[in-house]
Amino acid sequence: FARTATDIAPIETGLGGRFDATNVVERPAATVITPISLDHMAFLGPTVDQIAFEKAGILKPGVPCILCPQTPDAETVIRRRADAVGAPIKAWPNDWRASRDGDGVLYEDWAGRLRLPMPSLKGDHQIDNAGAAIAALRTLGWAAIGETAVATGLRRAAWGDRPARGLRRP
């Protein structure tokens, strides 16, 4: 990020939140918790509840959390932790939602609707990931980013071989 001037940069946790190195960022602009499943069980625990507890370790006082679709058990654990630390939640599907719409994506939230292309990254889970990213930006006051700019970002998203391009406030 030092080489590319950006106004905002996503930083992904490794295995989980509570003991993750990203916790050195004491006051992130926002946090995002994607769907929790039985992953990294040797480190995070054998149940979705325990894994959700670990992942909820990224929640910070006063820092909004964008919550992707969760199992009821995982959502209960995350909301309990959010209440304990004072982290406001913007949760799917009540505060925001993203869904397949023909050959594209329909994103909806408190600021309105966006009709977007499918993300360039493969997999249906990328629809939720894109929705979470849009919800985070709009939660942070970037609702003025228009449909064209968001569509361009979804088309340009890439893994590894192409450098990421910084997002600039319009």
Side-chain angles (χ1 to χ4, degrees):
F1 299 119
R3 292 187 301 264
T4 304
T6 60
D7 292 311
I8 192 164
I11 301 171
E12 185 175 6
T13 60
L15 294 177
R18 196 160 63 112
F19 295 115
D20 198 86
T22 58
N23 274 329
V24 300
V25 179
E26 293 178 14
R27 180 113 176 123
T31 60
V32 175
I33 299 180
T34 57
I36 293 173
S37 62
L38 294 174
D39 63 348
H40 308 298
M41 294 165 58
F43 301 100
L44 302 177
T47 67
V48 169
D49 294 27
Q50 288 173 307
I51 294 169
F53 175 79
E54 295 298 332
K55 301 258 184 179
I58 66 168
L59 299 175
K60 306 283 189 280
V63 174
C65 173
I66 308 306
L67 190 58
C68 289
Q70 302 293 336
T71 65
D73 290 345
E75 186 164 344
T76 297
V77 170
I78 294 164
R79 284 187 179 277
R80 191 175 304 132
R81 179 68 183 154
D83 288 345
V85 301
I89 289 184
K90 295 279 190 179
W92 175 95
N94 295 327
D95 298 310
W96 67 273
R97 69 184 67 101
S99 58
R100 184 180 292 273
D101 184 36
D103 61 351
V105 173
L106 175 63
Y107 174 85
E108 301 173 277
D109 68 10
W110 61 94
R113 289 181 169 185
L114 300 174
R115 294 196 184 282
L116 303 163
M118 287 296 290
S120 61
L121 299 174
K122 302 300 177 208
D124 285 342
H125 65 286
Q126 296 298 345
I127 295 171
D128 286 337
N129 289 347
I134 297 164
L137 290 171
R138 289 163 76 118
T139 296
L140 295 174
W142 290 50
I145 294 175
E147 202 164 308
T148 301
V150 173
T152 299
L154 290 178
R155 283 189 200 102
R156 287 186 181 172
W159 284 107
D161 61 339
R162 294 190 322 209
R165 295 185 181 174
L167 179 63
R168 297 199 173 276
R169 190 178 293 275

